[in-house]
Amino acid sequence: MKKLTVNVGDGYDILIESGLLKKAGSLIKIVISSKRIALISDTNVSPLYLDGVKTSLEEQGYEVFTYIFKAGEESKNTSVVIDIVEFLAKCGLDRLDTVVALGGGVCGDMAGFAAAIYLRGIKYIQIPTTLLSQVDSSVGGKTAVDLPQGKNLCGAFHQPSMVIIDPDVLSTLDDYYFSDGMGEVIKYGCIKSASLFELLEKENAKDFIDDIIYECLDIKRQVVENDEKEHGERALLNFGHTCGHAIEKLWNFKNISHGAAVAVGMVMITEAAENNGFTEKGTKDRLVKVIEKNNLPIADSYSFADIVGAMSADKKRAGDEIKLVLLNKIGESFIMPVNAKKLNEFFSV
């Protein structure tokens, strides 16, 4: 078993091994002494894995309550998260009890946010079932839901007590969602690991997926330990996301996956950075090839002007400035604040 320890708050372990889903109950028992668990999942994941995880928990003596919501980003809103919180109250969970998120990034975000605000914070466990959530969103304690005004505008930092990653569950993931996760994998290579990016250029990611998951999470672990609440270095993890979130907003969080939007955002920001002399020439071309190799888009039907306009509402805006994450070259990144009024000039729209 591969293990990483994230040293923030009380600290927690990330466990990575094929077959861990069947051992979820005994693994959780090591860190959670509560009697009741609320198991949160969605309509895609629950038919595949919920019964097995529920049985594993019950075998360890937990009383398990299950809540299933409609899969998709459209469910990631304040109405559904309040439904979850009310469910926790109806089940009688107290401050010693625990929430378990079984699903992808939407499930982890919502279950984690519900745990953060219920009784001013109870423990939760992440069991991510998509590539995107396994390499990125399950670790670091960011929990949130979307508002009509933008993505992830209502949220809290709330670290999990454990993250259990079973790469075997990726076998039930269709190609669309595997590619979705690869958007975040490519991001990690761009911002922190030239060797990871080169691997993606030369090899089939599926042949090295366990190693890829581990490296992405090790990068994120180090960044989160250095900057838990995103006051500095952690903003590097937003490479491609400022543009990407704007694209998702324009599509009303429908018909485009997060990883696809981020892929377009990475190309968009890198092209602009090259044109402005900040990024090594040829970087965009390398990025485009890796993105296309992983069946992700490099452009969107909305215009640059539309996307730049939508960026002005991004939560990473501070006053009149928006923090853009740029590359010096593959594997090296930096943060550059840009006045919101000069975004059009930066993107030459």
Side-chain angles (χ1 to χ4, degrees), residues 175-176 178-184 186 240 244 247-248 251 255-268 284 287-302 307:
D175 290 341
Y176 176 85
F178 190 88
S179 293
D180 178 50
M182 287 304 298
E184 292 288 355
I186 294 165
I247 293 167
E248 288 181 276
W251 284 100
N255 303 319
I256 187 167
S257 72
H258 176 68
V262 168
V264 175
M266 289 189 290
V267 174
M268 186 175 169
K284 188 204 81 169
L287 179 58
V288 164
K289 288 178 182 178
V290 169
I291 287 172
E292 290 183 327
K293 179 181 178 181
N294 286 279
N295 301 309
L296 288 163
I298 60 170
D300 191 74
S301 57
Y302 280 99
I307 297 168

Side-chain angles (χ1 to χ4, degrees), residues 137-188:
S137 62
S138 63
V139 171
K142 277 189 175 182
T143 70
V145 295
D146 303 331
L147 298 179
Q149 292 78 14
K151 188 176 174 73
N152 295 335
L153 293 182
C154 181
F157 286 96
H158 190 49
Q159 299 291 344
S161 296
M162 176 181 278
V163 181
I164 299 170
I165 295 176
D166 184 346
D168 282 354
V169 303
L170 300 180
S171 65
T172 59
L173 205 63
D174 64 31
D175 290 341
Y176 176 85
Y177 286 106
F178 190 88
S179 293
D180 178 50
M182 287 304 298
E184 292 288 355
V185 172
I186 294 165
K187 175 197 78 177
Y188 279 106

Side-chain angles (χ1 to χ4, degrees), residues 56-121:
S56 178
L57 292 167
E58 289 173 338
E59 287 174 349
Q60 297 299 318
Y62 292 111
E63 183 179 6
V64 182
F65 306 92
T66 59
Y67 181 99
I68 301 168
F69 63 91
K70 183 180 178 182
E73 187 79 22
E74 304 96 293
S75 292
K76 190 177 157 184
N77 57 60
T78 53
S79 176
V80 176
V81 82
I82 291 302
D83 282 347
I84 296 174
V85 171
E86 290 180 350
F87 172 78
L88 302 181
K90 290 175 183 176
C91 293
L93 268 68
D94 62 33
R95 284 196 174 95
L96 298 178
D97 294 325
T98 304
V99 169
V100 173
L102 175 67
V106 170
C107 181
D109 272 7
M110 290 207 303
F113 187 41
I117 60 177
Y118 180 66
L119 298 177
R120 298 186 178 90

Side-chain angles (χ1 to χ4, degrees), residues 270-334:
T270 303
E271 181 176 10
E274 278 194 35
N275 291 339
N276 283 277
F278 294 109
T279 300
E280 182 178 85
K281 290 294 184 183
T283 301
K284 188 204 81 169
D285 291 341
R286 290 181 68 190
L287 179 58
V288 164
K289 288 178 182 178
V290 169
I291 287 172
E292 290 183 327
K293 179 181 178 181
N294 286 279
N295 301 309
L296 288 163
I298 60 170
D300 191 74
S301 57
Y302 280 99
S303 69
F304 265 35
D306 290 332
I307 297 168
V308 171
M311 285 169 59
S312 62
D314 192 275
K315 67 182 182 301
K316 288 172 282 296
R317 177 171 175 171
D320 292 330
E321 288 186 338
I322 293 179
K323 292 181 180 179
L324 299 181
V325 182
L326 311 181
L327 304 180
N328 290 307
K329 59 182 180 179
I330 296 295
E332 294 182 14
S333 53
F334 66 100

